[in-house]
Amino acid sequence: MTPDVRPLVAGNWKMNGTRAALDQIKAMAAGVDGPLAEKVDALICPPATLLYVATALSTDSPLMIGAQDCHQNAAGAHTGDISADMIADCFGTHVIVGHSERRSDHAETDHLVRAKAQAAHAADLTAIICIGETAEERKSGQTLDILKRQLALSVPDGATAEDTVIAYEPVWAIGTGLTPTVEDIEAAHAFMRAELASRFQAAGRTMRILYGGSVKPGNARELMAVENVDGALVGGASLKASDFLAIYNAYEALTA
Ligand code: PGA
């Protein structure tokens, strides 16, 4: 955790969820509607097909709804893409950009990720910018170099603590059940905090840095307690309301 920084527990449903999954959104909206919401933010990023209904189902709840990607342009001839404005129009508040699955499946570069984050900001969305090293990069000792480069190139100038969230997701930890050690996470987050503070000064000292990669109810409390870990980006364990809420509620003990 970072002093005076409000944690964010964010769920990324990826390409999972049909209308049947809206019951999970309803349960999450109800589940986060309690005293902890005064201290901790909760966000779910369902597939774009469910975005509008999901926001409608959570209007009376502190649960926020976001998208998983946006195009870098505001509008135009880009078949199959969605713009940041469209997300805002569905009452989405956040958009994930540069997830490693987009970087690998769609060859997204740091340059493109930065343009997407700028598009998000132009639409008044908070951009959740994902970075993280692969297994090979980690083995060859390049983790901090990769994080430095991805932060420098993917995060736009002028990013603020309100409009930008960093998500550190080691690629090898995503969906594998593996996580770095607490010491490794602490070192990576301390490094990113120093990088952000030197580039963005006060904004960099309070910009949220989430950890993502195999966060589950069983490890959430330990991982979220790490210094400079300001929440989680959760994939698999965000699909079921009971798991997502258990991760969110890990903050009960941490914020008591
Ligand atoms: P996971 O995914 O929690 O299933 O490992 C995390 C992510 O890709 O955001």
Side-chain angles (χ1 to χ4, degrees):
M1 301 178 76
T2 306
D4 301 325
V5 171
R6 206 180 147 82
L8 167 67
V9 178
N12 169 15
W13 279 14
K14 311 191 179 184
M15 199 170 71
N16 298 294
T18 57
R19 284 177 296 145
L22 293 169
D23 284 346
Q24 300 301 314
I25 299 275
K26 278 188 220 164
M28 291 172 187
V32 301
D33 195 3
L36 193 57
E38 283 163 31
K39 298 179 189 161
V40 183
D41 288 333
L43 168 76
I44 286 288
C45 299
T49 47
L50 298 182
L51 194 56
Y52 185 58
V53 191
T55 59
L57 290 174
S58 43
T59 38
D60 296 328
S61 159
L63 180 69
M64 299 181 288
I65 302 292
Q68 300 172 15
D69 178 50
C70 67
H71 196 273
Q72 67 274 24
N73 291 355
H78 304 289
T79 303
D81 280 307
I82 62 170
S83 71
D85 267 337
M86 292 170 181
I87 297 164
D89 183 52
C90 289
F91 306 107
T93 53
H94 293 64
V95 59
I96 299 169
V97 294
H99 189 280
S100 66
E101 287 151 16
R102 302 254 359 140
R103 290 179 188 258
S104 65
D105 293 358
H106 300 273
E108 292 195 1
T109 61
D110 287 318
H111 178 79
L112 179 62
V113 173
R114 183 192 195 107
K116 289 184 174 205
Q118 282 167 323
H121 293 161
D124 288 330
L125 298 179
T126 298
I128 301 178
I129 303 175
C130 302
I131 61 172
E133 81 287 356
T134 63
E136 262 110 76
E137 288 162 345
R138 186 176 194 84
K139 261 183 231 134
S140 57
Q142 295 180 73
T143 298
L144 299 186
D145 293 338
I146 297 293
L147 298 183
K148 186 182 178 80
R149 193 197 73 215
Q150 290 185 333
L151 276 181
L153 300 180
S154 301
V155 182
D157 291 335
T160 70
E162 288 73 40
D163 70 17
T164 302
V165 174
I166 307 299
Y168 169 49
E169 299 204 306
V171 178
W172 53 273
I174 295 175
T176 57
L178 304 170
T179 57
T181 63
V182 162
E183 291 72 30
D184 283 348
I185 293 176
E186 194 172 302
H189 279 246
F191 176 79
M192 291 182 282
R193 175 65 68 214
E195 290 290 306
L196 291 170
S198 98
R199 180 165 166 209
F200 298 107
Q201 287 82 42
R205 286 193 286 278
T206 53
M207 194 176 283
R208 289 182 283 194
I209 310 176
L210 311 184
Y211 168 77
S214 298
V215 177
K216 296 184 278 274
N219 61 17
R221 192 163 153 186
E222 184 185 27
L223 298 176
M224 298 307 104
V226 175
E227 205 177 330
N228 289 306
V229 172
D230 307 311
L233 182 54
V234 186
S238 73
L239 293 170
K240 274 184 29 204
S242 54
D243 288 343
F244 179 76
L245 292 170
I247 294 169
Y248 180 77
N249 288 328
Y251 275 104
E252 264 166 14
L254 296 170
T255 58

